Amino acid sequence: MDFQFNFAVDENENSEADAHFLLLGSPKDKQESREKSREAADPAADSSLKLAAAKHRDEAASKKKLCVKAAKEHSIPEDLNKVLENKVMETVLDLIHVKLSVVEMTCSGDADSEGIVSNSVSSHSDLIPGVYEGGLKIWECTFDLMDYFSEAEIEFTNKTVLDLGCGAGLLGIAALRGEAARVHFQDYNSTVIDEITLPNVVANCTSEGRGMGSGKDRKASKPPSKRPRKAEGSPDVLKRCRFFSGEWSQVSQLLLNSNKPCSKYDVILTSETIYNPDYYSALHDTLAQLLDRNGRVYLASKVHYFGVGGGVYLFEKFLEERNVFRTRMVKTIDQGLQRCIMEIAFKNSC
C-alpha cells in the first residue's frame, strides 16, 4: 500500500529541513547512504553481493528440501485389544472406522508425539505442510474412488496393493475385502498410522467385524456398535498387511532396501494427495519406483485445490512433461467441487 504526503514549505524551510535531516539522520539512513555510494562506485561489488545472496537463498531452500520425514515401519501388536483400546467406532459404506472427533479429543501425550492433533485443532487447519498432511480426516474423494471400484469392477484378487497417503486406510481395507494378496498402508504421520489406520484395519479384520470376503455380501452385514471394540483372535488377514509412515521418497527407499522382500505393486491407490504442486516430483518418483511394470495407479482428486494450487489437470500436465506414464480420466464427478478419478500406467505397459 502506497502513501503520499504533501508538505507546503518555502525554500528556506526546505533547506533547513534538509540540514536538520542530514545532522540527525538515523544509523539506518547513514548505512543506506553508504551502501548506495558503494553501489554507484563499484557495480561489480554490488553484483557479487547479489550473487552471494542468491546462492545463500538457494542453499537454504535445498536444506529445507532435505529436511524430509524419515520412514518407519509400524509393527502390529500381538495384543490386538490394545490397538482398539478406548476407540469409539462408526461405520461408512459398511466399513468400520475410528470416530475421528473422539481421536481429536482424546489423543495427547505419547499418543500424539508429533503434536499433529494439538496443532491441527489449535490452528483450525486440516493441513500444516511438512507437519501434518490431513490424515485425521476422511476426504470426499476417498468415497468417490470406493464407488468407482464397484462401478468398474476393479479386481484386487491376489494383487499386491499400496494405499498411498492412506489416512483412515479405507481404500486399502476395500482391497483386503477384495481378497488382495498383500496390502501396505502409508501415511506421512506416524500418529495417523497408530491411532487411526491400524485400529481401522484391525477392527475390520476381527471376527466381529466380518466382511473381508469379496464384498458381494456387504449389505447383509450389521452396523457395528459405537462402543469401544474388542478384537477377537488374530486373523490371518493381518499377516497380509504392513504399515509405514514418513515422506514418500523415504518410504520408497525403506521398502526397496528392506530385509523383507517386497515386490512392486500391482495396484497403487491414492486419494487427495496432489493438492500441493511442491510434492509432485516426489510422488511421481515414488510411483515410478514402486509400481509394477504392468501395474495401475488409481488417483482420486479435486479438479483444483483453492489456496494451495494443485489439482488433477496440473498433475496430469506434470506427468506428461516427465514422459514416463500415460494417464486416462476414467470418471468425473460434478456434484459440489468437481472431482476426477485418473488411471495411471507406464507408457510401455500392457
Side-chain angles (χ1 to χ4, degrees), residues 4 19 78 114 197 304 309 317 327 334 336:
Q4 294 183 351
E78 291 184 11
E114 296 172 298
T197 317
H304 183 73
K317 182 180 178 183
T327 63
D334 290 318

Side-chain angles (χ1 to χ4, degrees), residues 1 17 27 30 57 81 88 101 110 125 211 213 227 233 255 324 346:
M1 185 177 294
K30 294 176 182 178
R57 285 193 299 271
N81 286 316
V88 177
S101 60
D110 291 342
S125 175
R227 293 173 299 172
L255 284 165
V324 173
F346 283 110

Side-chain angles (χ1 to χ4, degrees), residues 133-158:
E133 298 291 347
L136 296 174
K137 180 177 179 179
I138 301 176
W139 300 87
E140 60 187 329
C141 287
T142 296
F143 303 121
D144 294 336
L145 194 47
M146 291 177 70
D147 287 341
Y148 178 71
F149 295 161
S150 299
E151 294 167 9
E153 298 183 344
I154 300 300
E155 183 62 54
F156 292 114
T157 305
N158 297 324

Side-chain angles (χ1 to χ4, degrees), residues 257-295:
N257 299 325
S258 172
N259 292 328
K260 297 180 183 179
C262 179
S263 58
K264 297 196 174 184
Y265 298 99
D266 300 308
V267 180
I268 296 179
L269 308 172
T270 190
S271 173
E272 309 249 24
T273 50
I274 57 171
Y275 51 86
N276 190 338
D278 292 342
Y279 301 159
Y280 286 3
S281 181
L283 178 56
H284 173 277
D285 293 348
T286 297
L287 299 178
Q289 290 171 353
L290 298 182
L291 185 66
D292 183 78
R293 179 53 52 188
N294 293 313

Side-chain angles (χ1 to χ4, degrees), residues 203-275:
N204 283 279
C205 289
T206 58
S207 57
E208 184 183 344
R210 297 178 302 275
M212 281 298 168
S214 65
K216 294 178 181 177
D217 57 348
R218 277 170 48 170
K219 293 182 181 179
S221 63
K222 296 179 181 179
S225 167
K226 288 190 176 182
R227 293 173 299 172
R229 297 172 55 85
K230 287 186 178 181
E232 298 177 9
S234 180
D236 290 339
V237 69
L238 283 174
K239 296 177 183 177
R240 291 148 47 194
C241 303
R242 291 172 71 183
F243 300 85
F244 303 90
S245 64
E247 191 268 338
W248 288 323
S249 64
Q250 298 297 300
V251 171
S252 295
Q253 292 307 309
L254 177 62
L255 284 165
L256 295 172
N257 299 325
S258 172
N259 292 328
K260 297 180 183 179
C262 179
S263 58
K264 297 196 174 184
Y265 298 99
D266 300 308
V267 180
I268 296 179
L269 308 172
T270 190
S271 173
E272 309 249 24
T273 50
I274 57 171
Y275 51 86

Side-chain angles (χ1 to χ4, degrees), residues 43-321:
D46 177 51
S47 178
S48 297
L49 287 171
K50 288 180 179 178
L51 287 171
K55 182 180 179 182
H56 176 74
R57 285 193 299 271
D58 290 342
E59 288 175 351
S62 297
K63 287 178 181 178
K64 187 176 181 181
K65 288 179 181 177
L66 290 173
C67 294
V68 294
K69 195 173 186 66
K72 171 186 175 182
E73 180 166 5
H74 297 244
S75 59
I76 302 172
E78 291 184 11
D79 185 357
L80 297 181
N81 286 316
K82 287 192 174 182
V83 176
L84 299 178
E85 192 173 32
N86 300 320
K87 295 291 187 291
V88 177
M89 315 302 291
E90 55 188 358
T91 185
V92 62
L93 296 180
D94 202 35
L95 294 178
I96 304 161
H97 68 88
V98 173
K99 192 168 185 176
L100 300 178
S101 60
V102 175
V103 173
E104 290 180 351
M105 290 188 293
T106 60
C107 189
S108 60
D110 291 342
D112 186 26
S113 58
E114 296 172 298
I116 65 168
V117 176
S118 56
N119 283 326
S120 174
V121 172
S122 63
S123 64
H124 304 287
S125 175
D126 290 315
L127 176 64
I128 306 172
V131 176
Y132 162 60
E133 298 291 347
L136 296 174
K137 180 177 179 179
I138 301 176
W139 300 87
E140 60 187 329
C141 287
T142 296
F143 303 121
D144 294 336
L145 194 47
M146 291 177 70
D147 287 341
Y148 178 71
F149 295 161
S150 299
E151 294 167 9
E153 298 183 344
I154 300 300
E155 183 62 54
F156 292 114
T157 305
N158 297 324
K159 299 286 181 68
T160 58
V161 179
L162 173 63
D163 187 347
L164 192 67
C166 62
L170 300 186
L171 299 176
I173 293 170
L176 284 170
R177 249 189 195 187
E179 300 182 355
R182 288 186 299 115
V183 178
H184 294 173
F185 299 82
Q186 177 276 335
D187 195 88
Y188 185 82
N189 293 110
S190 60
T191 300
V192 171
I193 293 292
D194 290 334
E195 298 299 320
I196 298 174
T197 317
L198 183 53
N200 287 349
V201 175
V202 170
N204 283 279
C205 289
T206 58
S207 57
E208 184 183 344
R210 297 178 302 275
M212 281 298 168
S214 65
K216 294 178 181 177
D217 57 348
R218 277 170 48 170
K219 293 182 181 179
S221 63
K222 296 179 181 179
S225 167
K226 288 190 176 182
R227 293 173 299 172
R229 297 172 55 85
K230 287 186 178 181
E232 298 177 9
S234 180
D236 290 339
V237 69
L238 283 174
K239 296 177 183 177
R240 291 148 47 194
C241 303
R242 291 172 71 183
F243 300 85
F244 303 90
S245 64
E247 191 268 338
W248 288 323
S249 64
Q250 298 297 300
V251 171
S252 295
Q253 292 307 309
L254 177 62
L255 284 165
L256 295 172
N257 299 325
S258 172
N259 292 328
K260 297 180 183 179
C262 179
S263 58
K264 297 196 174 184
Y265 298 99
D266 300 308
V267 180
I268 296 179
L269 308 172
T270 190
S271 173
E272 309 249 24
T273 50
I274 57 171
Y275 51 86
N276 190 338
D278 292 342
Y279 301 159
Y280 286 3
S281 181
L283 178 56
H284 173 277
D285 293 348
T286 297
L287 299 178
Q289 290 171 353
L290 298 182
L291 185 66
D292 183 78
R293 179 53 52 188
N294 293 313
R296 293 291 184 272
V297 178
Y298 294 100
L299 180 151
S301 169
K302 293 181 177 66
V303 168
H304 183 73
Y305 289 90
F306 296 96
V308 191
V312 71
Y313 295 122
L314 187 64
F315 187 62
E316 183 181 39
K317 182 180 178 183
F318 180 91
L319 294 180
E320 287 174 0
E321 291 172 351

